[in-house]
Amino acid sequence: MRTRALVIAVGLALAATACSGSSDASSDATTTTKAATTTTQATTTTASTTTTAPGPTTTTKPIPPGPLGDEKLVPLLLEAAAFGPDQAVTDSSDSEPKKQYCDGVDFTVLWQASATIAVQSTNQDNLAGASESLLEFKAGDATKWMDDFADVNKRCEAANSGTAVTLTPLPGYGDEAFKGVPPKSSSSPFPIEVDVVRVGDVVIVLFGISQTTAILTPALIRAATDKVLAG
């Protein structure tokens, strides 16, 4: 995962992206094929054919809104309505977990499978959004990753001042959990929060940002935890 402006583990994907390519007439390929030369009673005939083919055209379609990831984990993600009445699913590709937590600092314990959903507010007066990622580890590695998260968070603070969050225990959820918020010295104008909950070998990572009230309510964290537990 990466951290961009305190986007811990998951980033907000606020717009789908699209790009397209077109054929270029100046790059048209010209192919000349010469037939074999045959000789019959001292008579030699040579045939040749020239064809011109247009250059290739490549089109990249926008990634449609919706959750992405392992087919076993996607059904365990929250739906958009759980994040609030004005939250709509958006392109989740930018919120997918990344190995890099911040510039130059990578996780050392990696997951085997993941799934992500990202949402954004449809209310133009409230810049808000959230995402949820589920990380599935091989037996025993989820516990190690929770320690790894705390370690890389400290390393990012040392290497890139202002990119880390203050972690505090979050009791009552899953097997272990913690909350991360910007330090009091942060100049961030928005309430930013990340909640990380381990349920067995699966880790839930919730990220929220809002101009008004926090999105990651206790009820939301509980709903995410219960959905994974129900499996």
Side-chain angles (χ1 to χ4, degrees):
M1 298 182 210
R2 64 188 173 206
T3 300
R4 288 200 319 261
L6 291 172
V7 178
I8 307 303
V10 285
L12 291 178
L14 296 181
T17 58
C19 62
S20 62
S22 60
S23 59
D24 188 340
S26 65
S27 64
D28 289 354
T30 301
T31 305
T32 301
T33 305
K34 292 188 177 180
T37 300
T38 60
T39 303
T40 304
Q41 294 181 346
T43 301
T44 302
T45 303
T46 302
S48 64
T49 304
T50 302
T51 59
T52 301
T57 300
T58 302
T59 301
T60 302
K61 295 182 179 180
I63 298 175
L68 298 174
D70 186 271
E71 61 181 11
K72 302 187 304 297
L73 296 177
V74 166
L76 304 183
L77 292 165
L78 293 172
E79 297 182 358
F83 293 91
D86 63 344
Q87 297 293 321
V89 179
T90 185
D91 170 18
S92 303
S93 61
D94 194 44
S95 297
E96 290 181 289
K98 305 294 188 298
K99 178 182 178 181
Q100 189 173 81
Y101 183 82
C102 69
D103 292 343
V105 179
D106 293 354
F107 285 104
T108 58
V109 181
L110 299 180
W111 46 93
Q112 293 185 312
S114 66
T116 300
I117 185 172
V119 298
Q120 69 180 64
S121 176
T122 57
N123 181 356
Q124 298 301 314
D125 295 327
N126 179 31
L127 175 61
S131 63
E132 178 191 20
S133 287
L134 301 181
L135 310 178
E136 184 178 51
F137 295 82
K138 67 180 183 180
D141 275 3
T143 300
K144 296 176 183 177
W145 186 87
M146 297 290 280
D147 293 334
D148 196 21
F149 189 104
D151 180 60
V152 296
N153 186 68
K154 291 179 181 178
R155 290 165 58 198
C156 281
E157 179 61 27
N160 306 280
S161 180
T163 63
V165 291
T166 299
L167 302 178
T168 57
L170 188 63
Y173 299 97
D175 296 306
E176 59 179 315
F178 55 76
K179 178 188 297 291
V181 295
K184 293 181 179 180
S185 59
S186 172
S187 60
S188 172
F190 307 125
I192 298 173
E193 180 180 330
V194 57
D195 296 314
V196 182
V197 182
R198 181 179 69 82
V199 180
D201 293 321
V202 175
V203 172
I204 305 165
V205 183
L206 292 162
F207 171 82
I209 180 172
S210 174
Q211 282 181 299
T212 55
T213 57
I215 296 177
L216 305 186
T217 63
L220 179 74
I221 303 169
R222 174 62 60 197
T225 303
D226 288 348
K227 195 164 186 179
V228 172
L229 280 169

